[in-house]
Amino acid sequence: MSDESEPLISKRTPLPTKQIIMICIVTFVEPVQFGILFPFVYFMVKGFHLTEDETELGRYVGWIASSFCIAQLVTSLPWGWISDKIGRRPVIIVGLFGNAITCALFGISESFTFAIVLRTLNGLLNGNVGVIKSMLGEVTDESNRGQAFSYWEAAYGLGTIFGPMLGGILVNPVEQYPWLFGDSLLFKRYPYLLPCLVSAVISMLGAILGMLIMDETLRSKRPRTSINTISEEEELLIPQPTRGESITSIQSFNSTPLPLSQVLNSKVCLSILCYATWCLVTVVYEEVYALYVAEPLSHGGLAFTSYDIGLALSLSGFVQVFVQLVIYPYLEHTIGNVKTFRLAAILMAVFSCALPFCTDVARSISGQLLEQGYTTTEKSIIFWLLFALLAGKTLASVIGYIPVIIFVNDSTPNQASLGTVHGFGQVSASLVRSLGPAMSGYLWSWSISNGYGFPFDFHFTLLLVGVMSMVAVVESYLIARYF
């Protein structure tokens, strides 16, 4: 191809290293703080003695997860607007300090009400996810945005490794490590405090690093060393024209925010719809998974312990990092983001529908309902079968999330409206994440207590995830007209 046909920059623009590292550090904190709860939240709710019927516990677990997202639903858009006015950096630092305080206090929850209040406060104070995506949009252009978001997802993946791992390893330290914590009255009374304290410390360290190292990316709030000059690092924060992108298209970088009627065009709305659908699919899966693996085998679960749950989730986190750094970049380069999203939706349907059949396998090889527990061989077989299906789901989740985030980012009419668009995206995500856990908790409790056979028994909610995944397949064909 001649030079005339590629008059603009066709190579990948270098990423601003310090900013990307700081964004990844802040991103790492989020899944640690959230994922640390999954191995023990079922057992925490059971300890509140809300009901003697274990089939009803899923409803209460669902409300704890939903309370965080309902609060984020209320505050995501205001945090996006605030970040457009005062800058991204202060909003992120407030969110990290909010994470630290509320997570530490959550560890001393002795009632369902107190736990709900703490998770709600955590959601109200935390607007980081949408703001971080805005920062990534501001430090990248079309040539390197996929690379930057894959790093961001890799950092998120590392958090998904360490969060559940810490939750499973550190829960109830008096019983797990009597030689070290056997005399501790504090951890005997609050068996879930230690993992929450560790998560709080990680959030606090992230906030301190953000205060010391992170640069502001909102153009209007960045300090200049002089009126007419900018540093080399600052220059990398200015979007560069790429192949297929005109100079005119990037002149909106310094423009003012558009009115909402112009921001919420069909391209933005469809991109946000794809994002919301994928969030719903993944959050319902994750909520049902947390209930499914802990539920007794007689109720359709796998009767796993907090340690087992944390270990499986942590191992899948390694898969997630590999997918983010190796598989997704290959798919983006070879088939593009639209087809990658479509492939992700198909794979999610397959692996979510297959998961509940682990119980059928467990019942088949054990020949009982496991009142006496698994043998070592049975436990090993079921664990690795579960991990294989979880790894497949992780592959689908990752290669689906990065494209939909890029859809939202690249649909923005102008750079000055980036925070607002990501705010609306986060509102949509918070809406489905508010409804999803509560809905899935109720559906799970209904499915294991209704007395119906297949497919309305314990298979039902995960089969429903497969149906929702096929909706995302349809959306992938609709979004193709824009990307």
Side-chain angles (χ1 to χ4, degrees), residues 167-382:
I169 291 174
L170 299 180
V171 68
N172 203 352
V174 172
E175 291 189 8
Q176 289 207 75
Y177 312 105
W179 53 273
L180 183 61
F181 297 101
D183 297 327
S184 174
L185 296 178
L186 178 66
F187 292 123
K188 185 174 182 178
R189 179 174 179 178
Y190 304 114
Y192 310 107
L193 176 59
L194 183 58
C196 292
L197 284 178
V198 172
S199 176
V201 169
I202 293 173
S203 293
M204 193 69 71
L205 290 175
I208 293 170
L209 285 173
M211 294 173 66
L212 296 176
I213 301 175
M214 179 176 285
D215 293 329
E216 180 58 64
T217 61
L218 184 63
R219 189 76 176 151
S220 62
K221 298 298 179 181
R222 289 182 56 79
R224 290 177 177 269
T225 54
S226 67
I227 295 177
N228 297 317
T229 63
I230 57 176
S231 67
E232 180 180 349
E233 182 80 1
E234 287 179 309
E235 188 175 357
L236 291 176
L237 302 182
I238 302 175
Q240 302 296 320
T242 61
R243 181 170 41 193
E245 182 183 24
S246 67
I247 296 292
T248 304
S249 70
I250 65 165
Q251 288 177 343
S252 61
F253 180 71
N254 290 318
S255 60
T256 58
L258 297 171
L260 287 181
S261 60
Q262 296 181 35
V263 171
L264 297 179
N265 55 43
S266 59
K267 182 178 181 181
V268 170
C269 291
L270 184 55
S271 298
I272 290 175
L273 178 62
C274 289
Y275 179 45
T277 300
W278 199 243
C279 288
L280 180 62
V281 167
T282 55
V283 76
V284 171
Y285 178 98
E286 289 164 0
E287 180 67 23
V288 175
Y289 171 87
L291 298 169
Y292 168 69
V293 293
E295 198 75 47
L297 192 65
S298 58
H299 296 160
L302 291 179
F304 276 19
T305 66
S306 292
Y307 180 85
D308 299 326
I309 298 169
L311 180 60
L313 288 171
S314 297
L315 289 175
S316 70
F318 287 103
V319 175
Q320 181 168 341
V321 173
F322 176 76
V323 172
Q324 288 154 349
L325 296 180
V326 179
I327 296 180
Y328 168 74
Y330 173 78
L331 290 174
E332 181 200 27
H333 178 73
T334 55
I335 65 175
N337 278 318
V338 172
K339 290 182 178 179
T340 298
F341 176 50
R342 189 175 303 148
L343 174 64
I346 294 171
L347 290 175
M348 180 65 81
V350 171
F351 287 109
S352 60
C353 290
L355 180 62
F357 291 95
C358 283
T359 297
D360 298 295
V361 175
R363 290 175 173 178
S364 175
I365 65 174
S366 65
Q368 55 180 330
L369 298 184
L370 294 186
E371 284 81 358
Q372 293 79 34
Y374 290 105
T375 66
T376 302
T377 301
E378 292 169 351
K379 183 69 166 288
S380 179
I381 292 172
I382 298 304

